[in-house]
Amino acid sequence: MNLTLHIWRQKDRNDTGKMTIYKLEDVSPDMSFLEMLDVLNEKLEVEGEEPVAFDHDCREGICGTCSLMINGKAHGPRASTTTCQLHMREFKDGDEIFIEPWRAEAFPIVRDLVVDRSAFDKVIQAGGYISVNTGNAQDANCIPISKEQADIAMDAAACIGCGACVAQCKNSSAMLFVAAKVSQFANLPQGQAERYARAKNMVAVMDDQHFGSCTNQYECEAACPKDISADFIAQLNRDFMKAGLTK
Amino acid sequence: MFSFLCSSLGKKYLMALTGLGLIGFVIAHLIGNLQVFAGPEAINSYAQTLKDLGPLLWVARGGLIVLFVTHLTLALQLNRTNQMARPIAYAKADTIKATLTSRTMVLSGLLILLYVIYHLLHFTIHIIDPSYTALLDAQGRHDVYQMIIAGFSHPVITTTYLLAMFVLAAHLHHGASSVFQTLGLNNGKYRPITSLIGPALAFLVFVGYGSIPVGVMLGWIN
Protein backbone atom coordinates (compact mmCIF):
# COMPACT_ATOMS: atom_id res chain seq x y z
CA MET A 1 0.00 0.00 0.00
CA ASN A 2 1.02 3.59 -0.64
CA LEU A 3 0.74 6.21 2.07
CA THR A 4 1.07 9.96 2.53
CA LEU A 5 2.58 10.69 5.94
CA HIS A 6 2.33 14.07 7.66
CA ILE A 7 5.01 13.96 10.33
CA TRP A 8 6.01 16.57 12.93
CA ARG A 9 9.70 17.43 12.45
CA GLN A 10 11.54 19.43 15.09
CA LYS A 11 15.34 19.57 15.40
CA ASP A 12 15.57 20.18 19.15
CA ARG A 13 13.73 21.66 22.14
CA ASN A 14 14.16 25.21 20.88
CA ASP A 15 13.20 24.65 17.23
CA THR A 16 9.66 25.73 16.31
CA GLY A 17 9.07 22.60 14.22
CA LYS A 18 6.59 21.92 11.44
CA MET A 19 4.53 19.20 9.78
CA THR A 20 6.40 17.62 6.85
CA ILE A 21 4.89 15.44 4.14
CA TYR A 22 6.51 12.12 3.11
CA LYS A 23 5.29 9.67 0.48
CA LEU A 24 5.93 6.02 1.33
CA GLU A 25 5.32 3.25 -1.19
CA ASP A 26 4.97 -0.54 -0.99
CA VAL A 27 4.07 -0.64 2.68
CA SER A 28 3.12 -4.17 3.75
CA PRO A 29 -0.13 -4.46 5.77
CA ASP A 30 1.72 -6.96 7.99
CA MET A 31 4.22 -4.34 9.17
CA SER A 32 3.75 -2.82 12.59
CA PHE A 33 3.35 0.96 12.63
CA LEU A 34 6.88 1.38 13.99
CA GLU A 35 8.29 -0.96 11.32
CA MET A 36 6.64 1.28 8.75
CA LEU A 37 8.50 4.22 10.32
CA ASP A 38 11.72 2.15 10.29
CA VAL A 39 11.26 1.67 6.54
CA LEU A 40 10.67 5.40 6.11
CA ASN A 41 13.83 6.15 8.12
CA GLU A 42 15.95 3.77 6.02
CA LYS A 43 14.66 5.54 2.93
CA LEU A 44 15.42 8.94 4.45
CA GLU A 45 18.95 7.87 5.36
CA VAL A 46 19.62 6.65 1.80
CA GLU A 47 18.38 10.01 0.54
CA GLY A 48 20.75 11.78 2.96
CA GLU A 49 17.98 13.16 5.18
CA GLU A 50 17.78 13.01 8.96
CA PRO A 51 15.67 10.03 10.09
CA VAL A 52 12.52 10.73 12.11
CA ALA A 53 13.20 10.35 15.84
CA PHE A 54 10.55 8.39 17.77
CA ASP A 55 10.49 6.55 21.10
CA HIS A 56 10.34 2.75 21.15
CA ASP A 57 11.78 -0.07 23.20
CA CYS A 58 10.15 -3.46 23.80
CA ARG A 59 7.78 -3.39 20.79
CA GLU A 60 5.66 -5.87 22.73
CA GLY A 61 3.16 -3.38 24.15
CA ILE A 62 4.36 -3.63 27.75
CA CYS A 63 7.11 -1.05 28.32
CA GLY A 64 5.25 2.23 27.80
CA THR A 65 8.02 3.78 25.72
CA CYS A 66 6.31 4.17 22.35
CA SER A 67 3.86 6.99 21.86
CA LEU A 68 2.63 8.91 18.75
CA MET A 69 -0.58 10.73 18.09
CA ILE A 70 -1.86 9.04 14.94
CA ASN A 71 -4.67 10.89 13.14
CA GLY A 72 -5.60 12.61 16.37
CA LYS A 73 -5.72 9.44 18.44
CA ALA A 74 -3.11 8.41 20.99
CA HIS A 75 -1.51 5.11 19.85
CA GLY A 76 -3.68 5.21 16.72
CA PRO A 77 -7.15 4.00 15.78
CA ARG A 78 -7.18 0.58 17.46
CA ALA A 79 -8.51 0.41 21.04
CA SER A 80 -6.41 -1.13 23.84
CA THR A 81 -3.31 -1.17 21.64
CA THR A 82 0.06 0.54 21.86
CA THR A 83 1.58 2.03 18.69
CA CYS A 84 4.15 -0.79 18.53
CA GLN A 85 1.33 -3.35 18.47
CA LEU A 86 -0.63 -1.45 15.83
CA HIS A 87 -0.36 -2.91 12.34
CA MET A 88 -0.63 -1.29 8.95
CA ARG A 89 -3.64 -3.47 8.15
CA GLU A 90 -5.61 -0.93 10.18
CA PHE A 91 -5.01 1.52 7.32
CA LYS A 92 -5.97 1.57 3.66
CA ASP A 93 -3.98 2.12 0.49
CA GLY A 94 -3.82 5.84 -0.29
CA ASP A 95 -4.44 6.91 3.33
CA GLU A 96 -3.10 10.17 4.69
CA ILE A 97 -1.70 9.63 8.16
CA PHE A 98 -0.93 12.48 10.59
CA ILE A 99 1.82 11.52 13.06
CA GLU A 100 2.43 13.96 15.90
CA PRO A 101 4.15 13.90 19.28
CA TRP A 102 2.20 13.94 22.58
CA ARG A 103 1.17 17.58 22.97
CA ALA A 104 1.37 18.90 26.52
CA GLU A 105 3.19 21.72 28.29
CA ALA A 106 4.31 19.05 30.79
CA PHE A 107 5.85 16.92 28.00
CA PRO A 108 8.32 19.17 26.14
CA ILE A 109 9.42 17.91 22.73
CA VAL A 110 13.01 16.71 22.68
CA ARG A 111 13.16 16.02 18.95
CA ASP A 112 10.62 15.18 16.22
CA LEU A 113 8.19 12.74 17.86
CA VAL A 114 10.16 12.23 21.09
CA VAL A 115 8.84 13.97 24.19
CA ASP A 116 10.31 14.28 27.66
CA ARG A 117 7.98 12.44 30.04
CA SER A 118 10.01 13.02 33.19
CA ALA A 119 7.06 14.96 34.64
CA PHE A 120 5.59 11.49 35.27
CA ASP A 121 8.77 10.44 37.11
CA LYS A 122 8.46 13.49 39.37
CA VAL A 123 4.87 12.51 40.20
CA ILE A 124 6.04 8.97 41.05
CA GLN A 125 8.87 10.32 43.20
CA ALA A 126 6.25 12.19 45.27
CA GLY A 127 4.66 8.98 46.53
CA GLY A 128 4.25 6.30 43.88
CA TYR A 129 5.87 3.67 46.08
CA ILE A 130 5.53 1.89 49.41
CA SER A 131 8.14 2.60 52.07
CA VAL A 132 9.36 -0.62 53.68
CA ASN A 133 12.20 -1.30 56.05
CA THR A 134 14.85 -3.54 54.61
CA GLY A 135 15.22 -7.05 55.97
CA ASN A 136 13.82 -10.44 55.12
CA ALA A 137 10.73 -10.42 52.96
CA GLN A 138 7.78 -11.70 54.96
CA ASP A 139 5.83 -14.76 53.95
CA ALA A 140 3.82 -14.05 50.81
CA ASN A 141 0.52 -15.25 52.28
CA CYS A 142 0.65 -13.72 55.74
CA ILE A 143 -1.53 -10.75 54.67
CA PRO A 144 -4.81 -12.12 53.30
CA ILE A 145 -6.01 -10.32 50.15
CA SER A 146 -9.14 -11.40 48.33
CA LYS A 147 -8.91 -12.31 44.66
CA GLU A 148 -11.38 -9.50 43.83
CA GLN A 149 -9.33 -6.90 45.66
CA ALA A 150 -6.07 -8.10 44.11
CA ASP A 151 -7.70 -7.91 40.67
CA ILE A 152 -8.74 -4.29 41.19
CA ALA A 153 -5.20 -3.36 42.29
CA MET A 154 -3.78 -5.22 39.32
CA ASP A 155 -6.12 -3.40 36.91
CA ALA A 156 -4.66 -0.12 38.17
CA ALA A 157 -1.12 -1.48 38.15
CA ALA A 158 -1.46 -2.33 34.45
CA CYS A 159 -0.59 1.32 33.70
CA ILE A 160 2.63 1.45 31.67
CA GLY A 161 3.05 5.21 32.07
CA CYS A 162 3.08 5.91 28.33
CA GLY A 163 1.26 9.24 28.63
CA ALA A 164 -1.53 8.48 26.13
CA CYS A 165 -4.08 9.71 28.71
CA VAL A 166 -2.40 13.13 28.83
CA ALA A 167 -2.02 13.25 25.06
CA GLN A 168 -5.66 12.37 24.36
CA CYS A 169 -7.16 14.51 27.12
CA LYS A 170 -8.58 17.79 25.83
CA ASN A 171 -6.92 19.47 28.84
CA SER A 172 -3.64 17.52 28.93
CA SER A 173 -4.64 16.25 32.36
CA ALA A 174 -2.62 13.48 33.99
CA MET A 175 -5.46 12.36 36.24
CA LEU A 176 -5.75 8.84 34.84
CA PHE A 177 -2.02 8.21 35.26
CA VAL A 178 -1.94 9.60 38.80
CA ALA A 179 -5.19 7.79 39.68
CA ALA A 180 -3.76 4.46 38.50
CA LYS A 181 -0.54 4.96 40.45
CA VAL A 182 -2.43 5.94 43.60
CA SER A 183 -5.08 3.21 43.26
CA GLN A 184 -2.69 0.31 42.73
CA PHE A 185 -1.61 0.83 46.36
CA ALA A 186 -4.88 2.19 47.77
CA ASN A 187 -6.51 -1.17 46.97
CA LEU A 188 -3.93 -3.26 48.79
CA PRO A 189 -3.26 -3.57 52.55
CA GLN A 190 0.41 -2.70 52.06
CA GLY A 191 -0.55 0.69 50.63
CA GLN A 192 -2.75 1.82 53.52
CA ALA A 193 -0.07 3.35 55.77
CA GLU A 194 0.80 6.07 53.25
CA ARG A 195 -2.50 6.08 51.35
CA TYR A 196 -3.73 9.63 51.97
CA ALA A 197 -0.33 11.30 52.11
CA ARG A 198 0.40 9.61 48.78
CA ALA A 199 -2.74 11.01 47.14
CA LYS A 200 -2.04 14.48 48.50
CA ASN A 201 1.64 14.60 47.53
CA MET A 202 1.24 13.11 44.07
CA VAL A 203 -1.57 15.52 43.19
CA ALA A 204 0.51 18.46 44.43
CA VAL A 205 3.37 17.52 42.08
CA MET A 206 0.93 16.80 39.27
CA ASP A 207 -0.36 20.39 39.59
CA ASP A 208 3.23 21.72 39.70
CA GLN A 209 4.09 19.98 36.44
CA HIS A 210 1.54 22.08 34.47
CA PHE A 211 -0.84 19.29 33.60
CA GLY A 212 -4.42 20.44 33.04
CA SER A 213 -7.39 19.43 35.15
CA CYS A 214 -9.94 16.69 34.54
CA THR A 215 -13.30 17.57 32.97
CA ASN A 216 -14.69 14.01 33.15
CA GLN A 217 -14.85 13.46 29.39
CA TYR A 218 -13.19 10.03 29.67
CA GLU A 219 -11.03 10.46 26.57
CA CYS A 220 -8.18 9.10 28.71
CA GLU A 221 -9.71 5.70 29.40
CA ALA A 222 -10.77 5.41 25.76
CA ALA A 223 -7.20 6.07 24.59
CA CYS A 224 -5.46 4.01 27.28
CA PRO A 225 -3.71 1.01 25.70
CA LYS A 226 -4.07 -0.83 29.01
CA ASP A 227 -7.77 -0.04 29.54
CA ILE A 228 -7.24 1.72 32.86
CA SER A 229 -10.73 2.72 34.00
CA ALA A 230 -11.66 6.30 34.87
CA ASP A 231 -13.31 4.77 37.93
CA PHE A 232 -9.83 5.04 39.45
CA ILE A 233 -10.06 8.82 38.95
CA ALA A 234 -13.19 8.76 41.13
CA GLN A 235 -11.17 6.83 43.70
CA LEU A 236 -8.37 9.42 43.57
CA ASN A 237 -11.00 12.17 43.97
CA ARG A 238 -12.28 10.35 47.07
CA ASP A 239 -8.85 9.77 48.59
CA PHE A 240 -7.60 13.31 47.91
CA MET A 241 -10.76 14.74 49.47
CA LYS A 242 -10.31 12.60 52.57
CA ALA A 243 -6.65 13.62 52.73
CA GLY A 244 -7.54 17.30 52.50
CA LEU A 245 -10.38 17.19 55.00
CA THR A 246 -8.83 15.01 57.67
CA LYS A 247 -5.05 15.10 57.49
CA MET B 1 -7.30 23.76 54.08
CA PHE B 2 -6.67 26.78 51.82
CA SER B 3 -4.01 24.97 49.80
CA PHE B 4 -6.36 21.99 49.57
CA LEU B 5 -9.10 24.13 48.02
CA CYS B 6 -6.60 25.87 45.73
CA SER B 7 -5.33 22.59 44.23
CA SER B 8 -6.79 21.54 40.88
CA LEU B 9 -8.91 18.91 42.63
CA GLY B 10 -10.02 21.30 45.36
CA LYS B 11 -11.27 23.75 42.74
CA LYS B 12 -13.07 20.92 41.02
CA TYR B 13 -14.82 19.90 44.26
CA LEU B 14 -16.03 23.48 44.58
CA MET B 15 -17.17 23.44 40.94
CA ALA B 16 -19.15 20.28 41.64
CA LEU B 17 -20.66 21.51 44.91
CA THR B 18 -21.63 24.94 43.55
CA GLY B 19 -22.97 23.23 40.43
CA LEU B 20 -25.02 20.93 42.62
CA GLY B 21 -26.42 23.95 44.48
CA LEU B 22 -27.34 25.61 41.18
CA ILE B 23 -28.99 22.39 39.98
CA GLY B 24 -31.03 22.49 43.19
CA PHE B 25 -32.14 26.01 42.29
CA VAL B 26 -32.98 25.01 38.70
CA ILE B 27 -35.20 22.20 40.00
CA ALA B 28 -36.87 24.30 42.74
CA HIS B 29 -37.48 27.15 40.28
CA LEU B 30 -38.97 24.70 37.79
CA ILE B 31 -41.37 23.24 40.37
CA GLY B 32 -42.39 26.77 41.37
CA ASN B 33 -42.95 27.88 37.78
CA LEU B 34 -44.92 24.81 36.75
CA GLN B 35 -47.67 26.03 39.13
CA VAL B 36 -48.68 28.31 36.27
CA PHE B 37 -50.50 25.27 34.87
CA ALA B 38 -52.60 25.18 38.08
CA GLY B 39 -53.99 28.62 37.26
CA PRO B 40 -53.51 32.25 38.32
CA GLU B 41 -54.31 31.66 42.01
CA ALA B 42 -51.58 29.04 42.48
CA ILE B 43 -48.73 30.90 40.79
CA ASN B 44 -49.67 34.35 42.13
CA SER B 45 -49.94 33.17 45.73
CA TYR B 46 -46.66 31.25 45.34
CA ALA B 47 -44.98 34.44 44.10
CA GLN B 48 -46.48 36.39 46.99
CA THR B 49 -45.21 33.78 49.49
CA LEU B 50 -41.69 34.21 48.12
CA LYS B 51 -41.97 38.01 48.34
CA ASP B 52 -43.25 37.80 51.92
CA LEU B 53 -40.04 36.08 52.95
CA GLY B 54 -38.56 39.60 53.01
CA PRO B 55 -34.97 39.57 54.24
CA LEU B 56 -34.85 35.78 53.93
CA LEU B 57 -35.43 36.16 50.19
CA TRP B 58 -32.31 38.32 50.00
CA VAL B 59 -30.35 35.74 51.98
CA ALA B 60 -31.40 33.14 49.41
CA ARG B 61 -30.57 35.47 46.52
CA GLY B 62 -27.21 36.24 48.10
CA GLY B 63 -26.52 32.51 48.39
CA LEU B 64 -27.37 31.99 44.73
CA ILE B 65 -25.12 34.86 43.66
CA VAL B 66 -22.23 33.38 45.68
CA LEU B 67 -22.81 29.95 44.07
CA PHE B 68 -23.04 31.43 40.59
CA VAL B 69 -19.98 33.68 40.89
CA THR B 70 -17.85 30.93 42.50
CA HIS B 71 -18.86 28.42 39.81
CA LEU B 72 -18.12 30.90 37.03
CA THR B 73 -14.81 32.18 38.43
CA LEU B 74 -13.42 28.70 39.07
CA ALA B 75 -14.58 27.50 35.65
CA LEU B 76 -12.69 30.32 33.93
CA GLN B 77 -9.60 29.73 36.10
CA LEU B 78 -9.55 25.98 35.45
CA ASN B 79 -10.21 26.53 31.76
CA ARG B 80 -7.24 28.89 31.53
CA THR B 81 -4.98 26.32 33.23
CA ASN B 82 -6.27 23.67 30.83
CA GLN B 83 -5.55 25.82 27.80
CA MET B 84 -2.05 26.58 29.05
CA ALA B 85 -1.49 22.85 29.53
CA ARG B 86 -1.53 22.41 25.74
CA PRO B 87 0.01 25.51 24.15
CA ILE B 88 0.39 23.89 20.71
CA ALA B 89 -2.71 22.21 19.32
CA TYR B 90 -2.65 19.01 17.28
CA ALA B 91 -2.56 19.52 13.51
CA LYS B 92 -5.17 16.79 13.33
CA ALA B 93 -7.22 16.39 16.48
CA ASP B 94 -9.83 13.75 17.05
CA THR B 95 -12.30 12.82 19.77
CA ILE B 96 -12.94 9.25 20.84
CA LYS B 97 -15.86 9.50 23.21
CA ALA B 98 -16.08 12.94 24.79
CA THR B 99 -19.63 14.20 24.25
CA LEU B 100 -20.33 17.42 22.37
CA THR B 101 -21.95 18.87 25.50
CA SER B 102 -18.82 18.12 27.56
CA ARG B 103 -16.65 19.93 25.03
CA THR B 104 -18.81 23.05 25.00
CA MET B 105 -19.24 23.61 28.74
CA VAL B 106 -17.52 27.01 28.75
CA LEU B 107 -19.61 28.23 25.81
CA SER B 108 -22.89 26.90 27.24
CA GLY B 109 -21.97 28.31 30.65
CA LEU B 110 -21.30 31.79 29.27
CA LEU B 111 -24.53 31.69 27.25
CA ILE B 112 -26.39 30.78 30.45
CA LEU B 113 -24.79 33.82 32.13
CA LEU B 114 -26.10 36.08 29.33
CA TYR B 115 -29.50 34.44 29.55
CA VAL B 116 -29.70 34.84 33.34
CA ILE B 117 -28.96 38.57 33.00
CA TYR B 118 -31.66 38.91 30.32
CA HIS B 119 -34.12 36.79 32.34
CA LEU B 120 -33.65 38.97 35.45
CA LEU B 121 -34.09 42.16 33.41
CA HIS B 122 -37.19 40.66 31.81
CA PHE B 123 -39.20 38.97 34.56
CA THR B 124 -37.64 40.18 37.84
CA ILE B 125 -36.59 43.81 37.30
CA HIS B 126 -39.05 44.44 34.43
CA ILE B 127 -36.65 46.62 32.45
CA ILE B 128 -37.42 44.91 29.13
CA ASP B 129 -41.13 45.76 29.57
CA PRO B 130 -41.85 48.08 32.56
CA SER B 131 -45.60 47.55 32.20
CA TYR B 132 -45.21 44.17 33.99
CA THR B 133 -44.84 46.00 37.35
CA ALA B 134 -48.37 47.41 37.08
CA LEU B 135 -49.96 43.97 36.56
CA LEU B 136 -52.03 43.24 39.69
CA ASP B 137 -54.62 40.54 40.30
CA ALA B 138 -57.98 40.90 42.15
CA GLN B 139 -56.30 40.56 45.57
CA GLY B 140 -53.81 43.29 44.71
CA ARG B 141 -50.89 40.83 44.34
CA HIS B 142 -48.42 41.04 41.50
CA ASP B 143 -50.11 39.16 38.64
CA VAL B 144 -47.35 36.75 37.65
CA TYR B 145 -49.81 34.72 35.59
CA GLN B 146 -50.61 37.64 33.27
CA MET B 147 -46.93 38.60 33.15
CA ILE B 148 -46.01 35.12 31.88
CA ILE B 149 -48.69 35.33 29.19
CA ALA B 150 -47.54 38.83 28.19
CA GLY B 151 -43.88 37.75 28.24
CA PHE B 152 -44.37 34.78 25.96
CA SER B 153 -46.74 36.48 23.53
CA HIS B 154 -43.77 37.61 21.45
CA PRO B 155 -42.45 34.84 19.18
CA VAL B 156 -38.90 36.25 19.39
CA ILE B 157 -38.88 36.13 23.20
CA THR B 158 -40.44 32.66 23.22
CA THR B 159 -37.80 31.38 20.80
CA THR B 160 -35.02 32.98 22.85
CA TYR B 161 -36.26 31.25 25.98
CA LEU B 162 -36.54 27.88 24.26
CA LEU B 163 -32.99 28.23 22.89
CA ALA B 164 -31.75 29.26 26.34
CA MET B 165 -33.38 26.18 27.88
CA PHE B 166 -31.71 24.03 25.24
CA VAL B 167 -28.33 25.51 26.21
CA LEU B 168 -29.09 25.00 29.92
CA ALA B 169 -30.07 21.40 29.19
CA ALA B 170 -26.82 20.89 27.26
CA HIS B 171 -24.82 22.24 30.22
CA LEU B 172 -26.63 19.92 32.64
CA HIS B 173 -26.29 16.97 30.26
CA HIS B 174 -22.58 16.85 31.08
CA GLY B 175 -22.51 18.76 34.38
CA ALA B 176 -25.06 16.80 36.38
CA SER B 177 -23.34 13.46 35.70
CA SER B 178 -19.89 14.99 36.11
CA VAL B 179 -20.67 15.94 39.72
CA PHE B 180 -20.61 12.29 40.77
CA GLN B 181 -17.21 11.60 39.21
CA THR B 182 -15.62 14.73 40.68
CA LEU B 183 -16.93 14.08 44.18
CA GLY B 184 -15.61 10.53 43.95
CA LEU B 185 -19.03 8.90 44.12
CA ASN B 186 -18.52 6.72 41.02
CA ASN B 187 -17.26 3.19 40.76
CA GLY B 188 -17.71 0.42 38.21
CA LYS B 189 -21.20 -0.27 39.48
CA TYR B 190 -22.47 3.30 39.83
CA ARG B 191 -20.98 5.05 36.78
CA PRO B 192 -23.42 3.49 34.27
CA ILE B 193 -26.24 4.87 36.46
CA THR B 194 -24.79 8.29 37.29
CA SER B 195 -23.93 8.84 33.63
CA LEU B 196 -27.67 8.74 32.90
CA ILE B 197 -28.52 11.40 35.47
CA GLY B 198 -27.19 14.29 33.34
CA PRO B 199 -29.12 13.35 30.18
CA ALA B 200 -32.26 12.64 32.25
CA LEU B 201 -32.07 15.97 34.06
CA ALA B 202 -31.36 17.77 30.77
CA PHE B 203 -34.49 16.25 29.26
CA LEU B 204 -36.67 17.12 32.27
CA VAL B 205 -35.36 20.69 32.44
CA PHE B 206 -35.88 21.31 28.72
CA VAL B 207 -39.36 19.79 28.61
CA GLY B 208 -40.35 21.26 31.99
CA TYR B 209 -39.27 24.85 31.39
CA GLY B 210 -40.06 24.68 27.67
CA SER B 211 -43.66 23.67 28.45
CA ILE B 212 -44.39 27.15 29.83
CA PRO B 213 -43.71 29.30 26.71
CA VAL B 214 -45.11 26.50 24.54
CA GLY B 215 -48.17 26.38 26.83
CA VAL B 216 -48.73 30.12 26.32
CA MET B 217 -48.19 29.79 22.56
CA LEU B 218 -50.69 26.93 22.26
CA GLY B 219 -53.23 28.64 24.49
CA TRP B 220 -53.03 26.12 27.37
CA ILE B 221 -52.22 29.09 29.58
CA ASN B 222 -54.57 32.01 28.83
Side-chain angles (χ1 to χ4, degrees):
Chain A
M1 55 207 263
N2 299 330
L3 299 169
T4 306
L5 306 172
H6 299 252
I7 301 180
W8 181 260
R9 300 304 309 261
Q10 182 174 335
K11 277 196 182 67
D12 53 39
R13 284 172 188 261
N14 302 320
D15 185 23
T16 44
K18 64 176 193 322
M19 296 299 287
T20 308
I21 299 174
Y22 298 97
K23 298 265 182 196
L24 195 59
E25 288 165 1
D26 297 327
V27 174
S28 157
D30 295 330
M31 285 177 183
S32 77
F33 199 85
L34 296 186
E35 282 164 348
M36 181 274 292
L37 287 179
D38 291 337
V39 170
L40 171 72
N41 277 346
E42 280 175 19
K43 185 178 157 230
L44 290 180
E45 278 185 64
V46 168
E47 291 167 1
E49 268 192 69
E50 274 292 313
V52 179
F54 61 90
D55 269 326
H56 61 101
D57 191 8
C58 76
R59 299 207 180 195
E60 291 180 329
I62 55 166
C63 75
T65 307
C66 66
S67 57
L68 304 187
M69 207 66 182
I70 302 166
N71 285 340
K73 287 187 177 138
H75 291 297
R78 201 179 149 87
S80 324
T81 307
T82 54
T83 295
C84 64
Q85 293 286 293
L86 179 72
H87 286 79
M88 296 315 293
R89 63 183 80 101
E90 300 291 329
F91 300 89
K92 293 190 306 288
D93 181 41
D95 269 2
E96 295 212 17
I97 306 177
F98 283 74
I99 308 169
E100 296 175 77
W102 289 166
R103 291 275 185 211
E105 175 73 7
F107 291 162
I109 294 173
V110 178
R111 184 186 182 124
D112 295 338
L113 303 169
V114 177
V115 298
D116 179 355
R117 283 171 280 193
S118 51
F120 270 6
D121 299 336
K122 293 192 179 111
V123 172
I124 293 293
Q125 283 160 10
Y129 48 80
I130 288 171
S131 307
V132 286
N133 294 324
T134 51
N136 286 341
Q138 59 179 326
D139 185 77
N141 291 322
C142 77
I143 304 172
I145 304 169
S146 72
K147 170 80 167 72
E148 290 77 15
Q149 199 59 33
D151 283 349
I152 294 172
M154 188 58 222
D155 285 347
C159 170
I160 52 176
C162 64
C165 45
V166 175
Q168 191 70 39
C169 176
K170 305 284 178 198
N171 315 316
S172 301
S173 167
M175 280 294 277
L176 191 65
F177 168 77
V178 179
K181 298 304 177 190
V182 163
S183 299
Q184 63 185 357
F185 299 129
N187 283 291
L188 289 177
Q190 292 89 338
Q192 299 311 308
E194 294 158 303
R195 178 171 178 178
Y196 297 102
R198 177 182 300 116
K200 197 174 168 177
N201 296 337
M202 289 177 78
V203 167
V205 175
M206 173 185 86
D207 284 350
D208 282 348
Q209 296 298 313
H210 305 293
F211 290 107
S213 64
C214 177
T215 46
N216 308 329
Q217 296 175 302
Y218 309 131
E219 284 286 282
C220 52
E221 68 171 7
C224 178
K226 296 295 152 189
D227 292 331
I228 309 286
S229 167
D231 294 337
F232 290 121
I233 295 182
Q235 173 153 31
L236 172 59
N237 284 334
R238 271 198 298 282
D239 281 11
F240 184 82
M241 191 184 296
K242 193 163 176 196
L245 295 178
T246 60
K247 308 287 172 205
Chain B
M1 188 51 124
F2 186 70
S3 67
F4 165 64
L5 289 177
C6 285
S7 67
S8 64
L9 265 64
K11 285 178 185 166
K12 291 219 54 212
Y13 298 147
L14 287 175
M15 283 292 293
L17 291 172
T18 52
L20 206 56
L22 292 166
I23 286 173
F25 169 73
V26 165
I27 293 172
H29 190 45
L30 174 62
I31 294 170
N33 286 2
L34 285 178
Q35 295 181 66
V36 72
F37 286 103
E41 175 53 31
I43 187 90
N44 288 357
S45 70
Y46 165 69
Q48 193 60 42
T49 314
L50 286 184
K51 267 195 182 163
D52 291 344
L53 289 175
L56 272 180
L57 180 62
W58 279 104
V59 172
R61 283 173 172 169
L64 279 175
I65 292 170
V66 169
L67 288 180
F68 203 91
V69 171
T70 310
H71 194 73
L72 185 77
T73 313
L74 289 173
L76 295 177
Q77 265 186 28
L78 286 166
N79 185 249
R80 197 175 135 70
T81 316
N82 293 347
Q83 284 180 337
M84 289 193 308
R86 178 163 298 146
I88 301 172
Y90 289 110
K92 189 176 170 80
D94 201 358
T95 298
I96 306 175
K97 70 173 191 185
T99 55
L100 182 64
T101 54
S102 76
R103 288 186 284 137
T104 49
M105 288 300 273
V106 175
L107 177 67
S108 58
L110 291 175
L111 286 172
I112 291 168
L113 170 68
L114 288 180
Y115 161 73
V116 166
I117 293 170
Y118 174 77
H119 185 50
L120 288 175
L121 293 177
H122 185 208
F123 277 144
T124 308
I125 312 176
H126 305 161
I127 284 180
I128 309 288
D129 188 345
S131 72
Y132 292 172
T133 314
L135 290 171
L136 298 175
D137 67 2
Q139 283 102 321
R141 298 173 301 199
H142 180 228
D143 197 343
V144 176
Y145 191 80
Q146 288 305 324
M147 179 176 77
I148 289 173
I149 295 174
F152 293 133
S153 304
H154 304 279
V156 177
I157 293 183
T158 305
T159 315
T160 311
Y161 270 83
L162 286 175
L163 285 175
M165 287 310 103
F166 185 79
V167 174
L168 177 62
H171 200 73
L172 295 176
H173 179 269
H174 177 68
S177 289
S178 202
V179 165
F180 295 89
Q181 178 75 359
T182 301
L183 295 181
L185 301 171
N186 275 345
N187 60 21
K189 209 191 274 178
Y190 295 159
R191 182 144 59 111
I193 302 162
T194 61
S195 65
L196 295 176
I197 290 176
L201 185 67
F203 178 77
L204 284 178
V205 161
F206 184 70
V207 171
Y209 278 110
S211 69
I212 299 168
V214 170
V216 172
M217 216 159 58
L218 298 179
W220 298 340
I221 302 166
N222 56 38

